[in-house]
Amino acid sequence: MAKLDRHGPAGTVRPLFSEGRILASDPEMLEFVREHVRSVWALELLLLLRRDPDRCWEPADLVRELRASQSVVQDNLARFDRGGLVRRDDAGCYAFAPAGPLLAELCDRLEAAYRERPVAVINLIAKPASPLQGLADAFKFRGDGK
């Protein structure tokens, strides 16, 4: 796995992400985002938890901090818990706790990418997994009659 390194040959500095095509050549990161970070809300929640891994957050505190809905926070916490990104204690609070070094590294790389090129990361999150899926989603009918 390639490391994020701004130093190229002979100490030259190269950009972490060229021309906004961030992550396009990084299948691990692309898969990680597709699996765990399905919205910008999820991204913001994950990065908030990551900033203070020693803190155990009550879901209500995360709702207030992010100004998000209870369902957005709960759904993403459940996804992160199933995906091995957080741990839930007996009292029902959550802390950032990647299940292994690869997950921790992917979170670090995602945070760096978001800091360097936030629009590119948001576009990656919003982009359908395939052009055919995007087309299919455009023709989905809602079951509520609208």
Side-chain angles (χ1 to χ4, degrees), residues 28-47:
E28 277 181 329
M29 180 59 73
L30 186 58
E31 182 180 339
F32 176 76
V33 168
R34 296 255 183 262
E35 170 106 10
H36 300 287
V37 187
R38 295 192 175 176
S39 69
V40 176
W41 284 113
L43 174 64
E44 292 290 341
L45 176 60
L46 181 62
L47 296 181

Side-chain angles (χ1 to χ4, degrees), residues 50-71:
R50 184 185 165 277
R51 274 193 289 272
D52 191 0
D54 295 327
R55 179 173 179 181
C56 201
W57 290 83
E58 301 262 345
D61 293 335
L62 291 164
V63 167
R64 274 190 301 280
E65 184 73 23
L66 293 171
R67 297 182 182 151
S69 72
Q70 183 77 24
S71 64

